[in-house]
Amino acid sequence: MEREKMILEKLKEAIVNLDINGVKEACREAIDAGIPAYKCVSEGMAKGLDIVGEKYEKGEYFLADLVVAGEAMKEGMKVLEPYLRAGEAEALGRVVIGTVRGDMHDIGKNIVATMLSGAGFKVIDLGVDVPPERFVEAVRKHRPHIVGMSALLTTTMMEMEKVIRALEDAGLRSRVKVIIGGAPVSMDYAEKIGADAYARDAVEGVSICKSWISEER
Ligand code: B12
């Protein structure tokens, strides 16, 4: 237990110090020590990114530092991904996921996508900066059970409501469940815009999506 805490702390610190090699090493060490990959994400790297975000707000870090922190997390994810995907099975259901228009943040969305496919979902990832009409088009084409949206900026979170309205206008809203996530959004916001759920993190998101599929069966 002590060792687990120590390694996760090391991983968090490596992100804060923008040490890409340190992040990769700590991820490998964590996997060798049997620490679940999702814990490395939620209790190691994501905590480090929170601190990086705070430092950026205080003016201690600059945009270039955010970029390096994002890269460090992506490199760490490359080490962890095979372990997040373990247990891949036949498709439980289909999920269309994307980061909304105007927003380039995709680290959290990618984690959710990876963990959903690890849990057995077929994931159609639309990428970043996705306008409402592309969500609508993807729902028409792929007939997903679930639509997932991510936003990390207070200026882009309102795009989520536009996507929901666009799905309504296209007569597709009742065919899908909508789940939203990302730092500025909340349960209250989900209710306000008419989404079916909000998830704080990928683990919660996957569990909500699974519960929807088992309700259907
Ligand atoms: C890395 C980063 C960047 C990188 C992004 C790289 C990338 N490929 O994603 C870069 C450098 C590109 C970037 C740019 C900008 N950023 Co930035 N960035 C961050 C930072 C440090 C980390 C974000 C992150 O990846 N977190 C880790 C992941 C794992 O967490 P997460 O995204 O929250 O995801 C989890 C949950 O929220 C949830 N989740 C997320 N999405 C979804 C979706 C579904 C369906 C579900 C179920 C769950 C779910 O599950 C995830 C995993 O558990 C944050 C600070 C922070 N702590 O959030 C600032 C932050 C988000 N950025 C910020 C800003 C201001 C910007 C810029 C405007 C800066 C600028 N002046 O240009 C630009 C905007 C560019 C754009 N148009 O999008 C602000 C936003 C302020 C606000 N309230 O709006 C923050 C909060 C920093 C700060 N404190 O000021 N950024």
Side-chain angles (χ1 to χ4, degrees), residues 46-211:
K47 291 232 165 97
L49 279 181
D50 283 344
I51 299 173
V52 170
E54 284 160 20
K55 284 183 179 287
Y56 174 75
E57 259 176 10
K58 286 194 222 146
E60 287 171 26
Y61 274 7
F62 301 101
L63 189 56
D65 300 315
L66 284 191
V67 175
V68 180
E71 277 310 306
M73 174 111 183
K74 285 196 168 168
E75 289 299 318
M77 282 304 293
K78 282 190 198 157
V79 177
L80 300 176
E81 225 156 61
Y83 303 92
L84 286 170
R85 281 178 188 273
E88 204 150 359
E90 93 277 20
L92 260 187
R94 290 178 297 282
V95 184
V96 159
I97 193 167
T99 299
V100 297
R101 180 164 59 192
D103 202 318
M104 301 301 181
H105 295 85
D106 67 355
I107 297 172
K109 185 263 300 161
N110 292 346
I111 294 170
V112 175
T114 305
M115 288 187 63
L116 280 171
S117 57
F121 285 90
K122 177 172 169 39
V123 179
I124 300 109
D125 187 347
L126 305 179
V128 296
D129 191 17
V130 182
E133 43 300 356
R134 278 198 50 223
F135 276 102
V136 170
E137 199 183 290
V139 170
R140 272 212 189 94
K141 182 167 169 210
H142 301 286
R143 300 188 162 265
H145 304 83
I146 298 165
V147 171
M149 288 186 270
S150 181
L152 264 286
L153 299 171
T154 42
T155 48
T156 57
M157 60 194 264
M158 49 276 264
E159 283 291 322
M160 293 174 158
E161 186 170 10
K162 294 188 186 155
V163 174
I164 294 177
R165 298 291 93 81
L167 287 170
E168 282 169 1
D169 292 346
L172 298 168
R173 176 66 185 93
S174 59
R175 286 204 212 155
V176 291
K177 292 275 196 190
V178 175
I179 181 165
I180 63 169
V185 303
S186 61
M187 190 73 89
D188 282 351
Y189 186 67
E191 273 173 29
K192 185 172 157 257
I193 65 171
D196 297 296
Y198 153 77
R200 195 178 40 217
D201 56 29
V203 174
E204 193 184 31
V206 170
S207 120
I208 294 172
C209 291
K210 275 178 152 175
S211 74

